[in-house]
């Protein structure tokens, strides 16, 4: 059903080209006794302002406590990196596009940070890549759960959306490499 929605552009995703403030994150959906991975379009827009980092899911009451914590960690990292002597003076709004349900977990915090930096610096992100990873306030990437489902879901969706069917990449925490048990059709 999700694949059909993607094919029909009911769910908008990009796996080709470059976009400013847009990153392909990876999520896992659990349906009773079956779980599968999929791409989540994460976007950020920014402007000169003093609002700081705004979690659109939280403002809409669709964000869980762990996701909220991940966004606060991103804010802590940015403040520690960029505003030691002077206020940041920015407003950055992070959103999981086309998510109409509850969002939780912190495994997208690395992807969210990249969307923020891309938006602030006006630097495009290659859409042929997806990223998953939790981060701490020091900028260190931490392992995540569901890595196999996320990778297999990404590959499946790329094969549906892309004409070239090659040249895709995933960025995962190095600590998760030992957890990889991928289907033979996904292994490269």
């Amino acid at each position: 059903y999700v694949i059909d929605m993607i094919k029909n552009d009911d769910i908008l995703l990009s796996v080709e080209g470059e976009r400013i403030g847009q990153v392909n994150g990876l999520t896992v959906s659990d349906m009773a006794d079956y779980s599968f991975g999929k791409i989540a379009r994460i976007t950020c827009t920014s402007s000169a302002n003093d609002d700081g980092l705004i979690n659109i899911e939280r403002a809409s009451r669709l964000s869980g406590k762990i996701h909220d914590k991940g966004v606060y960690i991103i804010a802590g990292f940015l403040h520690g990196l960029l505003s030691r002597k002077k206020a940041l003076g920015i407003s950055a709004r992070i959103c999981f596009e086309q998510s109409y349900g509850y969002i939780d977990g912190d495994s997208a915090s690395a992807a969210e940070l990249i969307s923020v930096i891309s938006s602030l610096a006006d630097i495009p992100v290659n859409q042929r890549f997806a990223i998953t990873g939790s981060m701490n306030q020091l900028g260190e990437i931490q392992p995540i759960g569901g890595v196999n489902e996320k990778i297999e879901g990404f590959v499946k969706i790329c094969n549906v959306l892309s004409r070239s069917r090659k040249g895709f990449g995933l960025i995962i925490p190095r600590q998760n490499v030992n957890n990889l048990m991928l289907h033979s059709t996904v292994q490269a």
Side-chain angles (χ1 to χ4, degrees):
Y1 180 71
V2 171
I3 296 290
D4 286 340
M5 290 180 73
I6 292 167
K7 282 181 185 177
N8 296 328
D9 284 335
D10 293 328
I11 296 176
L12 302 176
L13 296 173
S14 300
V15 296
E16 295 176 332
E18 295 181 334
R19 305 279 192 290
I20 292 173
Q22 181 175 303
V23 175
N24 288 319
L26 300 170
T27 65
V28 174
S29 293
D30 288 314
M31 305 294 200
D33 61 345
Y34 180 72
S35 61
F36 60 94
K38 60 184 182 175
I39 301 173
R41 179 184 275 185
I42 298 168
T43 61
C44 178
T45 58
S46 58
S47 61
N49 202 320
D50 288 325
D51 293 338
L53 197 56
I54 298 167
N55 176 0
I56 291 176
E57 270 70 38
R58 183 169 194 259
S60 305
R61 294 189 179 99
L62 292 173
S63 182
K65 291 178 182 179
I66 297 171
H67 183 253
D68 287 344
K69 180 182 176 187
V71 175
Y72 287 130
I73 287 170
I74 295 168
F77 172 76
L78 289 171
H79 283 281
L81 182 69
L82 302 173
S83 63
R84 292 180 182 233
K85 296 184 181 184
K86 195 173 182 184
L88 223 58
I90 63 153
S91 174
R93 293 156 301 282
I94 301 173
C95 182
F96 271 74
E97 298 295 341
Q98 291 188 282
S99 67
Y100 305 107
Y102 200 65
I103 300 285
D104 207 2
D106 63 353
S107 68
S109 54
E112 290 171 314
L113 175 65
I114 291 169
S115 73
V116 171
I117 292 171
S118 170
S119 179
L120 290 172
D122 206 30
I123 297 172
V125 176
N126 189 328
Q127 299 299 294
R128 297 182 77 75
F129 290 90
I131 183 170
T132 185
S134 168
M135 64 175 283
N136 63 30
Q137 287 191 99
L138 303 175
E140 299 168 321
I141 303 299
Q142 305 165 139
I144 47 84
V147 70
N148 294 300
E149 292 89 347
K150 290 175 180 180
I151 292 171
E152 290 176 355
F154 175 71
V155 170
K156 186 179 287 186
I157 291 168
C158 286
N159 287 335
V160 167
L161 289 178
S162 176
R163 293 179 198 122
S164 68
R165 299 198 193 290
K166 61 181 178 179
F168 300 106
L170 287 139
I171 301 169
I172 65 170
R174 67 173 170 73
Q175 302 94 320
N176 281 111
V177 170
N178 293 332
N179 306 118
L180 295 179
M181 296 186 335
L182 301 168
H183 190 277
S184 61
T185 59
V186 174
Q187 294 177 13

